[in-house]
Amino acid sequence: MANYVRMWQPGGTWFFTVVLADRHNSHLLVEQIDLLRSVVREVKAHHPFRIHGWVVLPDHLHALLELPEGDTDFPLRWRQIKSQFSRAIANEEARSESRWKRGERGIWQRRYWEHLIRDQEDFVRHLDYIHRNPVKHGLVTAPGDWPYSTFHRWVASGHYPPSWGNLIASDEPGIT
């Protein structure tokens, strides 16, 4: 069995990628966007964190989250988000034998990718990645055209120009 080593930085900021178990032809996350938003608000109310960046695509999501000072328990937050979302979805998905034995749903991949943000440059690079992701996946030609993203919030605060990341104007720098 693999030995996963996680970085623990109290009050740190992390980049996450969280993926559905069945990515093929799945649009579950955007079809259930209101449920996902509700679950995130609920978990955030009980286990605070700050959302710097977030994008929800049909079959996965990326997030840039900061925990409160002294807190390192991001696994608790993802476990809560994933389990509350799963419990609210009809139990109709295919499940492997190992998931059946463990009593697990077949909605999410068991693990997720996390990366501890090291400095401001790393933060900007990951925030830009989040906001470009719908363009990268061919869902839209401009980050501003994707409704399930914090890009709009960053534009409103003046950190990105509205045309940032468009396929036609992709040479623009990231946030200021």
Side-chain angles (χ1 to χ4, degrees):
M1 179 165 217
N3 182 19
Y4 295 96
V5 178
R6 289 198 159 131
M7 299 291 292
W8 303 106
Q9 175 66 43
T13 300
W14 282 268
F15 168 81
F16 297 96
T17 300
V18 184
V19 182
L20 293 178
D22 181 13
R23 295 185 76 170
H24 303 292
N25 299 317
S26 179
H27 290 83
L28 181 65
L29 296 179
V30 293
E31 289 170 354
Q32 296 292 332
I33 191 68
D34 291 335
L35 172 62
L36 181 60
R37 287 174 173 155
S38 174
V39 165
V40 169
R41 277 192 303 272
E42 177 74 18
V43 171
K44 193 176 172 195
H46 291 90
H47 307 285
F49 57 92
R50 181 174 176 196
I51 298 172
H52 290 288
W54 195 290
V55 67
V56 177
L57 291 98
D59 61 355
H60 70 286
L61 63 86
H62 298 289
L64 193 56
L65 308 179
E66 181 180 347
L67 297 187
E69 188 174 328
D71 194 340
T72 61
D73 202 356
F74 60 81
L76 168 72
R77 288 156 173 90
W78 284 116
R79 188 171 49 252
Q80 290 289 314
I81 290 168
K82 289 164 73 172
S83 65
Q84 287 182 33
F85 182 85
S86 296
R87 282 195 299 269
I89 300 290
N91 194 349
E92 300 169 346
E93 76 279 1
R95 288 192 268 176
S96 67
E97 185 177 334
S98 66
R99 286 189 185 263
W100 276 104
K101 286 180 181 178
R102 294 176 185 221
E104 293 177 359
R105 297 288 305 271
I107 303 220
W108 300 98
Q109 288 183 3
R110 285 188 179 131
R111 292 183 174 83
Y112 48 85
W113 170 261
E114 93 268 347
H115 165 79
L116 177 64
I117 299 300
R118 293 175 176 88
D119 55 28
Q120 184 64 25
E121 181 182 331
D122 198 26
F123 179 93
V124 169
R125 187 173 51 254
H126 283 85
L127 189 66
D128 288 352
Y129 179 85
I130 285 171
H131 294 140
R132 280 193 183 107
N133 213 246
V135 176
K136 173 188 168 192
H137 287 283
L139 299 168
V140 291
T141 59
D145 295 340
W146 190 249
Y148 315 119
S149 169
T150 54
F151 178 74
H152 310 282
R153 182 177 79 193
W154 283 90
V155 168
S157 69
H159 287 88
Y160 285 114
S163 64
W164 179 89
N166 293 2
L167 285 179
I168 297 166
S170 62
D171 61 338
E172 294 183 28
I175 65 168
T176 57

